[in-house]
Amino acid sequence: VQLQASGGGLVQPGGSLRLSCAPSRSIFSINEWAWYRQAPGKERAWVAAGTSGGATNYADSVKGRFTISRDNAENTVYLQMDSLKTEDTGRYYCHLSIRRTAQSRKSDYWGQGTLVTVSS
């Protein structure tokens, strides 16, 4: 299973973007999901996470501006990013915990990353 992430681009400060991440083929379920980002010259950092139980958590730097969600029918996860700041610039990676079939155990997968640039 490969993860296909999309939605990055160039946006002005204060603008919005919505990132998407979906498996490349049909799966049974997405149980946990998260987004990370890697700013230029820095290590990858956790941004937000969600679980099938309904819990969501956010890094303090994005709380109140970003929203993580999952479309269960489409098996797609999203990161809605509003009020973007220049410091949000980086490559964003999705991380999903997936069960490929009803009988399989959960396995973790990383997306290839999508670049977000916030600049005027």
Side-chain angles (χ1 to χ4, degrees):
V1 177
Q2 293 184 330
L3 302 184
Q4 298 171 332
S6 61
L10 174 63
V11 63
Q12 292 185 341
S16 297
L17 284 174
R18 189 177 77 157
L19 306 183
S20 302
C21 177
S24 58
R25 60 188 175 115
S26 179
I27 60 166
F28 178 70
S29 66
I30 300 174
N31 299 93
E32 297 168 348
W33 50 97
W35 288 92
Y36 291 74
R37 68 185 178 192
Q38 187 165 18
K42 296 187 178 181
E43 295 186 352
R44 192 175 298 187
W46 172 76
V47 173
T51 72
S52 56
T56 56
N57 287 287
Y58 299 91
D60 288 343
S61 59
V62 307
K63 202 170 293 184
R65 300 187 297 120
F66 289 12
T67 304
I68 191 170
S69 62
R70 176 193 63 168
D71 184 322
N72 199 29
E74 297 293 330
N75 273 331
T76 301
V77 301
Y78 300 97
L79 184 68
Q80 177 67 42
M81 306 187 294
D82 299 317
S83 302
L84 282 161
K85 305 176 180 179
T86 55
E87 52 263 43
D88 294 320
T89 293
R91 183 167 292 275
Y92 284 69
Y93 298 88
C94 56
H95 179 262
L96 305 186
S97 178
I98 291 172
R99 292 177 67 190
R100 289 184 291 173
T101 69
Q103 291 75 37
S104 61
R105 295 180 178 180
K106 291 186 291 185
S107 298
D108 294 339
Y109 297 88
W110 285 94
Q112 83 283 7
T114 184
L115 184 61
V116 172
T117 303
V118 184
S119 175
S120 56

